[in-house]
Amino acid sequence: SSSALSIQEAQSAFNTVDNHGIYVQELTSSNLREFPIGMHKTMGNTPVTLAVSNVVLNYDYTEISAFVKVQLPQQITLYFGAENLKFSHDGVFLGDAKLALLEDVELPAFSDNSLKMIIRGASDSYFKAADLSYVTLSCKGVENFGLAIDLEFSDQFLQPVDKQGEIIQGQKLRTSFKTQVVDLDDLIVGVDLPAFAINGLNGYSFACEKMIFDYSQIKHAGEVVFPQNYTTNFLNNSEIQQWKGFYAERINVTIPTCFKEKDSNKRLSFSAHHLLIDEYGVSGLFTADGQLLSFEKGTASGWDFSVNQFTFQLEANQLIESSFSGEIGIPVSDSTANRLPYQGMFDVYDNYYLSV
């Protein structure tokens, strides 16, 4: 049938097995005749239950309808379902035994709701859901999960930016990925995150080529490099295994418009390393190696200047250190200027201060 299966049908199938059926260790063509039957399984720490809701015996195979429910923390239940699955008399499924997630499920990925996770399920007809989230069955029950997930940041936290580094108003920063896992507590995937700015930190934007999204409860993605003191300030060192967030080894940082070449609107940027995003915010120590702005091309309120070094440090969205240095031309007369070294710092409001 092409009508979508409903959550109500799924719940009713589980009630029927609980009240009138038996739970079995594995599916066989003989125990399918003792319908209604179900199966309990724990995958990692996740309880997974199967209910067979309909059985039609054919000459060559048995045709079944089945539902699976997966109990997540925070009282969230995922329901999967499929009709017309063919089960051979030798006890194997013929063809793909995939049960589609019956509807989208949304959950907070960070505890403060700054990031939400949408597990994509069927919308109009569950047949299209082979591309979405599913579980795969064998005679031993659920074997693995196919996940299609969207991640969406609150615009109070991060906002998408265009190629000029300007915030795209009215849009959320989003990314999506597909993956297969056996244990839902062990999700570590590579994602592409569009360029973004941090709400409250004017003038900066960040672009990352490849990010790791570590959502595993049981292990820590080995590649993640935490900033100095981060694990003691924000995580008890014991919590590193449970840390959840994004990590980029290489990033490109675009800096405020007060640093730009004369007669150009092009923003200055540099490449840096080790950016972290988690529920506390964005963290990292970002340093430009080498000259960002040459003396001939730079201007500070009409005075020539260069930027030879530039560093800033974020810890959980707070700017905790900022410095830059170079040379500035102090006009001595109309035609000549003395080049003097300077040190500078800046604040979150885009103001900068020089001392010569």
Side-chain angles (χ1 to χ4, degrees):
S1 97
S2 63
S3 65
L5 294 170
S6 69
I7 303 283
Q8 289 70 25
E9 289 171 88
Q11 289 166 334
S12 146
F14 289 106
N15 289 339
T16 305
V17 179
D18 284 342
N19 297 328
H20 310 290
I22 53 167
Y23 282 94
V24 295
Q25 294 299 306
E26 65 178 313
L27 297 179
T28 63
S29 52
S30 61
N31 68 22
L32 280 172
R33 295 193 174 101
E34 303 186 30
F35 167 82
I37 63 169
M39 196 186 294
H40 287 304
K41 193 170 182 178
T42 303
M43 300 179 71
N45 294 315
T46 306
V48 177
T49 311
L50 167 71
V52 176
S53 62
N54 196 19
V55 173
V56 178
L57 298 172
N58 290 324
Y59 183 72
D60 293 328
Y61 55 84
T62 304
E63 200 167 75
I64 67 169
S65 299
F67 293 97
V68 162
K69 71 173 169 182
V70 176
Q71 201 57 55
L72 298 180
Q74 305 152 328
Q75 273 72 55
I76 292 168
T77 308
L78 306 181
Y79 287 100
F80 299 81
E83 297 173 297
N84 316 112
L85 297 171
K86 295 179 172 58
F87 193 75
S88 77
H89 300 318
D90 325 334
V92 294
F93 281 99
L94 303 172
D96 262 356
K98 283 184 178 177
L99 281 63
L101 184 63
L102 297 183
E103 62 179 25
D104 288 356
V105 175
E106 193 176 293
L107 55 152
F110 287 167
S111 56
D112 59 356
N113 278 328
S114 58
L115 176 69
K116 69 181 180 194
M117 177 185 284
I118 300 123
I119 307 173
R120 286 284 173 217
S123 41
D124 40 12
S125 154
Y126 76 93
F127 275 127
K128 295 181 186 156
D131 308 330
L132 299 168
S133 302
Y134 60 86
V135 293
T136 308
L137 281 190
S138 77
C139 61
K140 300 214 173 352
V142 173
E143 290 293 330
N144 66 4
F145 300 92
L147 298 174
I149 287 180
D150 291 354
L151 298 169
E152 182 180 288
F153 288 91
S154 153
D155 52 15
Q156 298 300 300
F157 179 25
L158 302 179
Q159 296 168 296
V161 296
D162 62 19
K163 288 202 163 47
Q164 281 70 48
E166 299 298 327
I167 289 167
I168 304 169
Q169 297 298 338
Q171 277 192 33
K172 296 274 178 81
L173 180 67
R174 290 193 180 89
T175 185
S176 57
F177 63 87
K178 289 183 179 173
T179 188
Q180 288 184 331
V181 292
V182 173
D183 182 350
L184 291 176
D185 285 334
D186 195 13
L187 181 61
I188 297 176
V189 294
V191 296
D192 292 318
L193 194 62
F196 64 90
I198 300 169
N199 190 24
L201 185 70
N202 296 338
Y204 294 86
S205 63
F206 303 84
C208 317
E209 283 167 13
K210 285 271 175 279
M211 293 201 101
I212 294 165
F213 177 54
D214 178 344
Y215 206 68
S216 172
Q217 295 274 23
I218 54 181
K219 70 170 185 267
H220 168 55
E223 304 93 311
V224 177
V225 178
F226 289 104
Q228 199 175 355
N229 303 330
Y230 189 83
T231 49
T232 37
N233 293 351
F234 289 90
L235 314 168
N236 304 329
N237 282 324
S238 58
E239 290 172 5
I240 290 178
Q241 303 292 353
Q242 280 101 39
W243 177 82
K244 291 179 174 161
F246 299 82
Y247 169 75
E249 191 203 351
R250 290 184 64 82
I251 61 162
N252 200 59
V253 182
T254 299
I255 63 174
T257 47
C258 54
F259 299 96
K260 63 183 180 62
E261 296 184 356
K262 289 176 192 167
D263 313 320
S264 162
N265 288 323
K266 192 169 180 302
R267 307 273 294 272
L268 294 184
S269 64
F270 62 90
S271 68
H273 294 86
H274 311 313
L275 172 118
L276 206 69
I277 305 172
D278 62 14
E279 61 192 12
Y280 301 111
V282 177
S283 302
L285 172 62
F286 310 115
T287 299
D289 299 324
Q291 189 176 66
L292 261 184
L293 190 57
S294 71
F295 192 79
E296 293 68 37
K297 292 185 172 171
T299 176
S301 311
W303 294 4
D304 292 342
F305 92 137
S306 66
V307 178
N308 297 339
Q309 174 274 328
F310 193 99
T311 296
F312 70 106
Q313 185 172 4
L314 294 173
E315 191 169 86
N317 272 14
Q318 302 299 311
L319 184 65
I320 60 169
E321 187 204 325
S322 71
S323 71
F324 60 100
S325 60
E327 291 184 313
I328 188 161
I330 306 290
V332 184
S333 65
D334 289 350
S335 57
T336 58
N338 285 341
R339 285 166 71 150
L340 298 174
Y342 74 84
Q343 295 284 333
M345 57 169 289
F346 46 88
D347 62 23
V348 290
Y349 305 108
D350 238 359
N351 302 318
Y352 63 88
Y353 310 91
L354 301 185
S355 58
V356 175

